[in-house]
Amino acid sequence: MISSNISREQYDTWFAPVGFVGYDEDGQMLTLSVPSPFIREYIEEHYLKLLRAVLQHQYGQGVRLRYEVKVDAINNLSTREEGTERSTSTSPVMRREGVNASPRALQHLDSQLKPEYTFDNFVEGESNKLPRTVGLAIAQNPHQATFNPLFIYGGSGVGKTHLVNAIGLRVKELHPELRVLYVSAHLFQVQYTDSVRHNTVNDFIAFYQSIDVLIIDDVQEFASLQKTQNTFFHIFNHLHQNGKQLILTSDRPPVALEGMEERLLTRFKWGLLAELEQPTQSLRRDILCYKIRRDGLKVSTPVIDYIAATVDKSIRDLEGVLTSLMAYSVVNNCEIDLGLAERVISRTVGISRQHATLSLEDILTRTCHYFSIDREDVLSSTRKAPVVLARQVVMYLAQQHTRLSTTKIGAFVGKRGHATVLHSCQAVSQRLQADDSFRERIEELEGLLMQ
Ligand code: ADP
Ligand code: MG
């Protein structure tokens, strides 16, 4: 049931490793095993509603959930963690005991690295030469102190996440004994807040202090979050003092990080600041050629040159154009020629960048259609999760693709205030960063809107 609600990839990553331990009918207690506290955290953060619905369906109202974190199979060490489904509550709170931080228990750390982001498929160019070379040096020798922290910054879609994953994977390959962890700043913050709520901050800190190579992606997300910053400061100091490697990414350099504590900014500059610059035309061309070869496509040189010359800001955009081109040519059974490339580029990257004005009505209709939700529901005050999501997406798309003020957008989607609109846009953009399949769906929807 879970697998039919999420993508195969998501299921394989998050649910396939979860095991059934037992169900106690008298106590209505279901016990599941999870391979790491992270998997549990992630599932609860992203799939709590789905999990709850499935459990209620299978086991009835009021079923309680307990996790066993299988951290060391040989010594049979496991932590029991309980969560309670309160059927009366609309948002059940799962209670748990927190992260088990004993060094033994942490042997089997799930590093959260994305296996597809390797050095082998990270095409080299002038714009990424420095961070790439330093990344390779760190992977060779993670105990060096010169590049600690490595702070990589650059705009959206220039390859930050890919590169830091590649570094992490290479470290693991060359030094399997090291504990490498990749975490987005957003997830770090969520886990931290959670640990405050459950009174397990010490465990949280101890866990992070046990890492050898800590990679935190998009640290600009820490801006204005004072408590998270404070906690991260302690973790940073401990790791740094003990010669552990920190790798951070940000969408801007430290000087431009507003809302970040001075003492953290100072530390960010201790090691190496390396910019991932916007890809040069020749790198864009090389990446296109690489991906075209890999996907077995047939694209002529003038078309490649045209795309490389036009799509100039982000490699993510470049990939998007290529994927759309492939889709159009397959669906319409036509060659990928210049005309098609022009159309696809203006529909995907070109138009969204110019903020071509779509109408609110279009956005609402298309989004409702895409999510199979009634427009009346979106405009009503219902708090049903799928409706809330669709409503938030409408507000987000309206903010991205129209020139209307948040007040006007709020008024349109059922008399909502501008704070609600801002909050919704933030919620959607955070999820876009954390949830790849959600991002793919929203991109698809945006593609439809552009047609
Ligand atoms: P960022 O984190 O900076 O927003 P990502 O690392 O997510 O960007 O990169 C966006 C996309 O571009 C990813 O699919 C990534 O694999 C691809 N990409 C980025 N840089 C390169 C590169 N040098 N070679 C090949 N693919 C790249
Ligand atoms: Mg990224």
Side-chain angles (χ1 to χ4, degrees):
M1 261 186 91
I2 288 183
S3 59
S4 56
N5 280 286
I6 56 178
S7 77
R8 169 96 200 268
E9 195 185 317
Q10 285 175 318
Y11 183 83
D12 287 347
T13 313
W14 302 110
F15 287 95
V18 176
F20 174 79
V21 177
Y23 179 62
D24 168 15
E25 258 177 54
D26 297 336
Q28 275 197 294
M29 174 77 79
L30 174 71
T31 308
L32 298 176
S33 71
V34 285
S36 76
F38 272 97
I39 298 253
R40 185 210 63 217
E41 296 274 354
Y42 194 91
I43 288 178
E44 290 204 350
E45 163 67 6
H46 292 86
Y47 305 110
L48 184 59
K49 291 215 172 78
L50 174 62
L51 192 61
R52 197 173 124 235
V54 171
L55 289 184
Q56 286 195 356
H57 186 262
Q58 300 282 96
Y59 297 96
Q61 294 272 334
V63 60
R64 290 182 304 150
L65 187 59
R66 178 161 68 185
Y67 301 95
E68 279 186 20
V69 181
K70 285 240 169 94
V71 280
D72 185 340
I74 301 160
N75 295 297
N76 211 13
L77 266 177
S78 64
T79 44
R80 294 216 153 195
E81 312 196 347
E82 266 184 39
T84 311
E85 284 272 310
R86 284 181 298 178
S87 46
T88 46
S89 158
T90 47
S91 62
V93 179
M94 294 246 177
R95 201 165 52 76
R96 51 183 108 98
E97 285 152 20
V99 183
N100 184 327
S102 89
R104 291 200 75 135
L106 290 166
Q107 275 171 9
H108 298 278
L109 175 77
D110 179 349
S111 65
Q112 304 292 309
L113 290 162
K114 296 187 176 72
E116 68 275 20
Y117 286 164
T118 62
F119 272 117
D120 293 342
N121 59 22
F122 189 78
V123 181
E124 187 181 355
E126 274 307 309
S127 56
N128 62 32
K129 201 168 190 148
L130 175 70
R132 184 179 173 280
T133 312
V134 173
L136 277 168
I138 290 175
Q140 283 289 339
N141 179 11
H143 300 294
Q144 58 73 41
T146 323
F147 307 131
N148 199 14
L150 170 61
F151 189 99
I152 296 176
Y153 65 93
S156 168
V158 294
K160 300 182 295 295
T161 300
H162 187 142
L163 179 59
V164 293
N165 264 273
I167 300 173
L169 289 170
R170 183 61 64 85
V171 173
K172 281 188 63 173
E173 214 175 285
L174 299 177
H175 310 272
E177 75 288 358
L178 291 184
R179 294 162 56 72
V180 182
L181 181 71
Y182 167 91
V183 65
S184 69
H186 175 65
L187 185 59
F188 180 94
Q189 184 266 326
V190 168
Q191 290 172 344
Y192 167 68
T193 317
D194 215 37
S195 76
V196 172
R197 204 172 338 124
H198 296 97
N199 221 354
T200 55
V201 178
N202 288 341
D203 292 342
F204 173 85
I205 293 176
F207 171 75
Y208 274 96
Q209 289 182 340
S210 76
I211 304 297
D212 297 311
V213 177
L214 177 61
I215 303 169
I216 303 203
D217 204 1
D218 290 320
V219 291
Q220 76 277 357
E221 302 257 331
F222 286 159
S224 308
L225 301 171
Q226 273 177 2
K227 288 188 178 140
T228 308
Q229 285 182 30
N230 190 31
T231 305
F232 176 57
F233 176 76
H234 291 298
I235 293 169
F236 183 107
N237 282 344
H238 179 95
L239 293 179
H240 198 272
Q241 276 161 16
N242 288 284
K244 310 295 186 186
Q245 178 70 45
L246 289 123
I247 301 174
L248 311 169
T249 77
S250 162
D251 67 356
R252 66 204 83 172
V255 283
L257 280 172
E258 282 167 27
M260 196 73 83
E261 278 186 44
E262 204 47 51
R263 54 182 189 168
L264 266 181
L265 292 179
T266 315
R267 278 160 179 75
F268 289 167
K269 291 182 261 181
W270 273 356
L272 182 80
L273 296 180
E275 180 174 7
L276 256 183
E277 295 166 26
Q278 282 184 357
T280 58
Q281 187 157 339
S282 88
L283 176 61
R284 301 198 297 268
R285 212 177 171 285
D286 290 348
I287 292 177
L288 279 172
C289 290
Y290 169 78
K291 296 194 190 261
I292 287 167
R293 211 176 327 118
R294 189 197 58 188
D295 296 342
L297 295 175
K298 271 208 342 241
V299 186
S300 67
T301 311
V303 176
I304 296 178
D305 287 341
Y306 175 74
I307 305 173
T310 326
V311 184
D312 56 355
K313 296 278 183 316
S314 129
I315 299 165
R316 187 176 294 124
D317 284 354
L318 215 53
E319 288 183 336
V321 167
L322 211 52
T323 312
S324 306
L325 275 176
M326 195 162 59
Y328 280 107
S329 80
V330 170
V331 170
N332 301 317
N333 195 18
C334 63
E335 295 254 311
I336 299 181
D337 58 16
L338 262 181
L340 183 62
E342 271 170 25
R343 281 201 303 283
V344 165
I345 290 174
S346 71
R347 277 179 200 173
T348 50
V349 266
I351 293 190
S352 75
R353 197 175 291 144
Q354 290 155 19
H355 277 246
T357 40
L358 294 169
S359 77
L360 273 174
E361 192 50 51
D362 269 358
I363 294 177
L364 177 66
T365 316
R366 295 271 188 158
T367 307
C368 289
H369 182 72
Y370 188 80
F371 287 104
S372 307
I373 301 248
D374 284 345
R375 58 177 280 142
E376 284 70 34
D377 282 345
V378 169
L379 302 179
S380 78
S381 58
T382 178
R383 300 287 311 153
K384 281 189 205 142
V387 180
V388 172
L389 181 66
R391 192 183 292 136
Q392 288 184 334
V393 169
V394 170
M395 292 187 241
Y396 168 83
L397 291 175
Q399 203 213 27
Q400 293 285 314
H401 300 286
T402 72
R403 294 176 201 275
L404 298 171
S405 67
T406 43
T407 316
K408 287 223 171 89
I409 297 172
F412 180 78
V413 286
K415 298 205 183 70
R416 288 178 163 83
H418 94 122
T420 309
V421 180
L422 284 179
H423 170 77
S424 302
C425 294
Q426 210 175 16
V428 172
S429 55
Q430 281 178 354
R431 184 155 168 201
L432 286 173
Q433 297 210 8
D435 181 344
D436 289 346
S437 101
F438 180 67
R439 188 171 70 220
E440 277 161 23
R441 290 170 70 204
I442 298 302
E443 281 172 2
E444 187 179 30
L445 172 58
E446 282 181 312
L448 291 170
L449 274 165
M450 301 304 168
Q451 285 179 15

